Amino acid sequence: MQTLAKQVSQLLPSWSIRSATLAAPGSLEKVLEQSEGEPLVFPLFMAEGWFTRKALPDRLGDANCRQLSPLGTHPELPRSAARLLRRAAERRGWSLEDCDVLIAAHGSPTGTAAAKSCHHFATALRHLLPVREVRRGFLEQDPHLSEVAKDRGPKTLALPFFATPAGHVMEDVPQALDAADFKGVRLPCIGQAWFIPDLIAHSLKCAAIRSMAA
């Protein structure tokens, strides 16, 4: 996250960009104490769910800050991801008409927010790309990734719908694909894509403009 914060800072050189994680006790609170004015909080999550509606607001408490929409709901994310997938096919000399896309997502056995976010993303991709099929597979709910990934051809582009290359991306997703004997292409998670710093910077600038206009 520190690397990502530095990349966003390069795009917004006059801004003070810091990172914090909910997993580290006191990390978020320390960053808020170091901030001036009304800091903008950009959630590095893929859905508008429990983390953004409960966990993060609880940690922010009464702090004078403004929480923005999470990465996974950014309106330009599908279009940027479509360019990523197009490049992945072109590098291999493949026509997109011969390719499938497999979105590997987390999901949740207790709520619908994560699945809805992935569904909207996959639906948008289907309209943006002339691929044969866009399928979704989850780690924590049906349809499970290990089942959806079965019998996928070698021209299947698997894109993890995750914000960071943490445990799920490094362990759980590969294990599910291995269990399915997946023979397609395993791409890095979308949170590692080259365009992510630009999307975050765009969100921050738009939020600042709205604040000045209010």
Side-chain angles (χ1 to χ4, degrees):
M1 289 184 65
Q2 291 180 348
T3 299
L4 180 58
K6 290 179 181 178
Q7 293 171 332
V8 176
S9 182
Q10 292 173 353
L11 298 170
L12 300 172
S14 63
W15 292 50
S16 175
I17 307 293
R18 298 184 176 94
S19 64
T21 173
L22 296 181
S27 172
L28 177 59
E29 291 78 5
K30 182 178 179 180
V31 169
L32 289 174
E33 289 175 0
Q34 297 171 343
S35 302
E36 299 178 358
E38 185 185 37
L40 302 172
V41 179
F42 184 87
L44 203 61
F45 294 105
M46 299 310 294
E48 194 73 86
W50 183 82
F51 279 104
T52 60
R53 292 173 178 165
K54 175 63 177 174
L56 179 55
D58 283 355
R59 289 283 294 274
L60 293 175
D62 297 327
N64 181 33
C65 60
R66 182 178 171 192
Q67 180 179 323
L68 307 184
S69 298
L71 173 63
T73 65
H74 195 292
E76 284 299 315
L77 186 64
R79 193 175 303 277
S80 297
R83 290 198 297 270
L84 182 154
L85 292 165
R86 190 179 295 277
R87 289 187 184 184
E90 290 175 349
R91 283 198 302 269
R92 293 165 175 81
W94 297 343
S95 169
L96 280 172
E97 287 81 356
D98 299 326
C99 295
D100 294 320
V101 173
L102 172 60
I103 307 300
H106 187 276
S108 171
T110 59
T112 61
K116 283 183 178 179
S117 181
C118 179
H119 172 71
H120 291 318
F121 177 74
T123 300
L125 279 183
R126 189 66 188 88
H127 290 297
L128 291 167
L129 293 171
V131 294
R132 295 186 305 183
E133 193 174 21
V134 177
R135 304 192 70 182
R136 292 161 289 132
F138 300 97
L139 297 176
E140 298 289 340
Q141 69 178 74
D142 291 328
H144 285 275
L145 178 60
S146 57
E147 291 298 321
V148 177
K150 285 183 179 179
D151 301 320
R152 295 292 94 194
K155 292 185 179 180
T156 300
L157 303 170
L159 177 63
F161 190 63
F162 290 84
T164 61
H168 288 306
V169 173
M170 301 301 293
E171 299 177 8
D172 299 332
V173 170
Q175 288 175 4
L177 295 178
D178 288 345
D181 193 23
F182 180 69
K183 296 179 173 59
V185 178
R186 305 184 184 195
L187 298 173
C189 72
I190 195 168
Q192 293 177 277
W194 75 88
F195 52 77
I196 294 299
D198 291 284
L199 293 189
I200 296 175
H202 175 265
S203 291
L204 294 173
K205 287 189 290 187
C206 288
I209 292 172
R210 288 194 296 270
S211 295
M212 289 187 293

